[in-house]
Amino acid sequence: MKLKMAVLGANSMVGSRFCEMASSDFQLIKADLSSCILVDITDKNSVENFFKNKDFEWVILFSAFTDVDAAEQQRTNKDGSCWKINVEGAGNVVEACRKYKRKLIFISTDFVFDGVRGNYTENDPPGPNFDKVSWYGITKAEAEKIISDGSKNYIILRIAYPYRGKFAGKDDLAKIILRLYRQKQLYPMFNDQKISPTFIDDIAPAVSLLISKGVTGIVNLASPVPSTPYEFAKELITRFGGNWRDLKTGSIGQFLKQKGKTPRPINGSLNVEKIKSLGYSPLDWKMGIKTIYTQSKGNLL
């Protein structure tokens, strides 16, 4: 018998690929705001009814407000949609997990860190300077706290700058670069920012491993080798037949000095030694680009 897992946010960019890949290991119960099973995580009754009427052992929460710049327009506003979804919504799921004795996997982000130091491990606390953390990052850090305080059986899976093969629903890190490059509208790419992009295809096998080993707590899942946005774009554009010499370089340090810019980690790179020690090696970003090229037969868009 396959383990039963509920997927909240099953139609999202990350969640939909997880469902495609995880169906061989789990019996999935897919829910979303646009699924056959409708669940609104900001509505306690909606969450309660779902947990009461569906039988599953684990629930994985992909539903989130992820538009970082739109979230920043709501900074400090706890009545805004970002806080309602990312904090109160997560809290509703935690409460239901506790009541119905279900186990939770929560998808979090490198944006919980201020990006001053980089190479963050699972033991590093979010922030610590929250003036340098976006409102999106603050809401995800708050959700992490609710989960760690209110749950016993949970996994917080931190990912960063996720990208995948062909998907029409939403641009990810790779697609937005390629799309803007081909439209000759690509902005300068930062060459002084450290990122650890996550190949979305890593999530399903990593989750299977973590559950099978009984792992709980925080786990980072990202490229073991960090990149800069410029290096990532150069490799991506070259692989997909473009000319990297068309790229312009920019500085995140200079960018963040401009008034009204959304805070972003200058060095948000994630350390993945924990998951490697458990027996799973995430794909490095260069191999990830090669893989999405193969998967899409050279036509990602």
Side-chain angles (χ1 to χ4, degrees):
M1 289 290 290
K2 292 180 184 177
L3 186 148
K4 293 180 180 178
M5 176 181 287
V7 184
L8 296 175
N11 288 332
S12 65
M13 181 184 74
V14 181
S16 60
R17 184 59 175 160
F18 173 83
C19 289
E20 289 170 12
M21 297 188 66
S23 58
S24 57
D25 289 340
F26 302 104
Q27 183 179 333
L28 301 178
I29 301 165
K30 303 175 191 176
D32 209 307
L33 283 173
S34 56
S35 291
C36 293
I37 303 173
L38 298 177
V39 176
D40 178 357
I41 64 169
T42 66
D43 182 339
K44 275 190 179 184
N45 290 332
S46 178
V47 174
E48 168 86 13
N49 289 336
F50 178 69
F51 274 72
K52 183 169 65 178
N53 295 318
K54 299 296 178 184
D55 176 34
F56 52 87
E57 184 177 345
W58 283 87
V59 57
I60 184 165
L61 179 57
F62 291 105
S63 302
F65 188 108
T66 58
D67 186 330
V68 179
D69 290 322
E72 199 60 25
Q73 301 304 310
Q74 302 175 22
R75 194 174 185 92
T76 74
N77 181 10
K78 294 184 179 180
D79 291 321
S81 51
C82 184
W83 183 273
K84 293 283 186 187
I85 295 167
N86 290 354
V87 180
E88 294 180 12
N92 290 337
V93 174
V94 168
E95 192 176 310
C97 283
R98 189 165 54 234
K99 181 175 179 179
Y100 291 96
K101 296 182 170 53
R102 312 289 170 81
K103 302 169 186 175
L104 173 64
I105 301 168
F106 177 72
I107 305 299
S108 194
T109 172
D110 59 320
F111 271 55
V112 299
F113 297 113
D114 60 22
V116 172
R117 190 172 58 75
N119 194 34
Y120 292 103
T121 72
E122 290 80 358
N123 295 323
D124 288 313
N129 182 354
F130 283 99
D131 289 339
K132 295 188 176 201
V133 177
S134 65
W135 185 240
Y136 164 72
I138 288 170
T139 64
K140 296 296 274 189
E142 189 68 25
E144 285 190 6
K145 185 174 185 300
I146 290 168
I147 291 159
S148 58
D149 288 349
S151 307
K152 290 181 180 177
N153 293 308
Y154 70 90
I155 298 168
I156 293 171
L157 196 64
R158 286 190 183 138
I159 65 173
Y161 292 92
Y163 65 100
R164 58 175 285 184
K166 217 169 179 69
F167 177 67
K170 181 182 177 183
D171 280 348
D172 57 26
L173 174 65
K175 285 183 213 48
I176 197 165
I177 290 171
L178 275 180
R179 192 179 302 284
L180 292 177
Y181 170 77
R182 290 178 179 174
Q183 294 170 349
K184 302 189 185 310
Q185 294 178 350
L186 185 59
Y187 42 77
M189 304 303 297
F190 299 141
N191 61 2
D192 57 351
Q193 182 188 24
K194 285 285 175 70
I195 61 173
S196 301
T198 298
F199 183 44
I200 291 171
D201 287 18
D202 276 332
I203 296 175
V207 164
S208 294
L209 176 88
L210 295 173
I211 288 175
S212 70
K213 288 184 173 285
V215 176
T216 57
I218 300 171
V219 181
N220 294 338
L221 181 66
S223 169
V225 180
S227 176
T228 66
Y230 176 78
E231 289 173 323
F232 188 90
K234 180 179 176 181
E235 183 77 15
L236 178 74
I237 286 166
T238 302
R239 173 67 62 179
F240 280 84
N243 186 349
W244 66 267
R245 289 179 178 83
D246 295 333
L247 280 173
K248 296 173 183 173
T249 60
S251 165
I252 191 172
Q254 293 301 315
F255 174 84
L256 292 175
K257 287 178 182 176
Q258 298 175 42
K259 188 176 180 181
K261 294 299 182 184
T262 302
R264 282 170 166 76
I266 292 178
N267 186 348
S269 55
L270 296 176
N271 183 305
V272 294
E273 289 306 309
K274 178 175 179 177
I275 199 163
K276 285 170 70 177
S277 72
L278 292 166
Y280 189 81
S281 295
L283 212 59
D284 73 74
W285 62 271
K286 283 189 177 181
M287 280 303 298
I289 289 171
K290 186 176 179 181
T291 303
I292 63 171
Y293 179 82
T294 303
Q295 288 177 343
S296 65
K297 298 181 173 61
N299 183 21
L300 191 61
L301 301 179

